[in-house]
Amino acid sequence: MKKGNKILIGGIALGVLMTGFMSNYHISPLDDVKASSSHEMTSSQQSVKVFTNSDSDKTQLLNMMINSTDYFKNASGSFRYYSKNAETDMDIDFVVDIENSKSYEKNTFRNLKTKSIVEPFEESIFNGEYYSVYRSQDYLATQLSLEELATSSGSSQFHYQKISTPDSQNQGIVADNTIEDRIATTDAQDSYVRKTETSLMGITKTVLLPEDFAIGFIGTDLSGWNIVSNEKYLDRDCVIVEPVLNAYYKGKHNAVSARFIIDSATGILLESHLIDSDGNDTFLTKINSLSLNQSLQTNVFDKHNHFIKENE
């Protein structure tokens, strides 16, 4: 009997990912996705630029952030994702193969752990053909009532969907792929054309392709933010940026200031902080380990294959 032919839209990874990938139209910032890629892949080990606070360097940094996946072939590592507003605190392990459009992500929920709930996690995989999600019993126990859990018979634990990824060669590719190219104005309202991300990397996209931060939190008003220094983080050259939050983000995240650490060679978001008036983080991402362009444990992309075969 076929069970899992659709994905349960309820976990955080799915909510961020699926609707954006399947659509293909102009949208406001932080909503959706469309193809626009023309940069050649470059090595993350190249000579790294030292960024100044000039408008030209700010623009170059923004363009790198919205095209970060052009600067590496694969990535693996871990990071923390915390949002006070969303009541979410997760440790995320990831393996992403940009070149072959595959991804693995495991989200372990810190804020759901109790004495009896020790392993609440959600694991998502795109193997190039199927996008699948597996949820631990401990995670389900935090989401379902005892009666629902008893009668679910495992049907809520695994879901999958066959995905046809777009052929980037057949997409309307923007010639220069700058942040100006990505912004269109219709009826006096700006909209943003997102980059197609064919590896479907879920929450991991927050840090590996931080275009939402570039267009949203930082922005194209170059007078509204500063590059304050060039430093080292995880033994990588990075840029420290301090934007001035607009009223929308201040209200949404109860924050008064922000600080971002951005990789100088790729535009990857190494660390982000939205900070309240008491100096506490209300939103945080922090990469703890990062490996680029190294040999990958490719067996993780096949981890759910037996579940898929059982339900076909």
Side-chain angles (χ1 to χ4, degrees):
M1 179 178 180
K2 294 184 180 181
K3 294 187 200 175
N5 58 352
K6 65 177 181 178
I7 294 178
L8 180 63
I9 305 297
I12 290 178
L14 296 180
V16 167
L17 172 65
M18 294 306 297
T19 56
F21 182 78
M22 302 306 291
S23 301
N24 204 24
Y25 53 84
H26 289 274
I27 46 97
S28 297
L30 313 183
D31 283 330
D32 245 14
V33 57
K34 185 179 177 181
S36 55
S37 176
S38 61
H39 287 277
E40 292 183 356
M41 191 78 66
T42 59
S43 170
S44 62
Q45 300 305 315
Q46 64 186 340
S47 178
V48 176
K49 174 184 172 64
V50 175
F51 286 83
T52 69
N53 199 42
S54 67
D55 285 359
S56 60
D57 280 5
K58 288 181 178 182
T59 300
Q60 183 177 344
L61 184 63
L62 288 175
N63 290 336
M64 184 178 290
M65 292 175 73
I66 68 169
N67 294 296
S68 58
T69 51
D70 291 342
Y71 296 94
F72 60 94
K73 297 180 180 180
N74 64 60
S76 60
S78 64
F79 67 101
R80 183 182 175 192
Y81 180 99
Y82 167 74
S83 172
K84 183 178 180 180
N85 184 54
E87 299 182 345
T88 299
D89 194 358
M90 298 184 290
D91 291 311
I92 298 177
D93 299 294
F94 62 88
V95 181
V96 176
D97 187 344
I98 299 294
E99 206 169 32
N100 296 297
S101 299
K102 297 181 179 182
S103 64
Y104 167 87
E105 179 177 285
K106 181 178 180 180
N107 306 333
T108 302
F109 295 84
R110 292 183 175 201
N111 60 317
L112 300 181
K113 291 185 178 183
T114 66
K115 186 174 182 180
S116 59
I117 303 294
V118 296
E119 200 174 19
F121 72 85
E122 182 177 72
E123 188 176 59
S124 59
I125 297 174
F126 182 56
N127 65 6
E129 183 179 13
Y130 289 96
Y131 185 84
S132 56
V133 176
Y134 174 84
R135 292 172 170 178
S136 69
Q137 285 289 340
D138 273 1
Y139 176 82
L140 290 177
T142 67
Q143 305 299 305
L144 304 176
S145 67
L146 291 176
E147 182 178 354
E148 289 172 323
L149 193 60
T151 59
S152 64
S153 302
S155 62
S156 298
Q157 195 162 13
F158 179 72
H159 295 265
Y160 70 95
Q161 181 172 325
K162 192 168 186 177
I163 301 289
S164 295
T165 58
D167 181 355
S168 62
Q169 299 303 314
N170 294 327
Q171 300 293 318
I173 294 178
V174 177
D176 294 320
N177 217 9
T178 66
I179 200 161
E180 289 82 6
D181 294 322
R182 302 279 190 89
I183 299 174
T185 303
T186 305
D187 297 329
Q189 183 175 359
D190 286 343
S191 60
Y192 178 70
V193 183
R194 282 219 180 104
K195 187 179 185 69
T196 292
E197 197 288 283
T198 59
S199 58
L200 304 193
M201 54 179 149
I203 294 290
T204 302
K205 179 179 182 290
T206 307
V207 297
L208 293 191
L209 182 54
E211 55 186 344
D212 290 349
F213 285 80
I215 191 65
F217 291 111
I218 300 176
T220 55
D221 178 3
L222 302 180
S223 65
W225 57 281
N226 293 304
I227 293 174
V228 297
S229 64
N230 294 258
E231 299 181 13
K232 286 280 190 179
Y233 183 87
L234 295 178
D235 201 32
R236 298 187 63 85
D237 293 286
C238 64
V239 183
I240 311 299
V241 171
E242 293 183 353
V244 177
L245 297 177
N246 62 31
Y248 171 78
Y249 288 117
K250 283 182 177 180
K252 181 177 180 180
H253 293 282
N254 190 30
V256 296
S257 63
R259 187 173 189 266
F260 303 142
I261 303 177
I262 301 159
D263 187 65
S264 300
T266 64
I268 289 172
L269 185 65
L270 298 172
E271 192 169 310
S272 69
H273 298 268
L274 301 183
I275 305 162
D276 67 17
S277 57
D278 295 322
N280 299 315
D281 287 313
T282 64
F283 179 89
L284 161 74
T285 64
K286 182 178 181 180
I287 291 182
N288 300 309
S289 64
L290 177 66
S291 178
L292 299 179
N293 302 331
Q294 303 297 315
S295 297
L296 294 179
Q297 295 181 344
T298 56
N299 60 318
V300 297
F301 304 131
D302 302 322
K303 194 172 180 181
H304 292 170
N305 284 3
H306 64 289
F307 289 122
I308 295 171
K309 289 178 181 178
E310 288 174 3
N311 289 282
E312 283 286 88

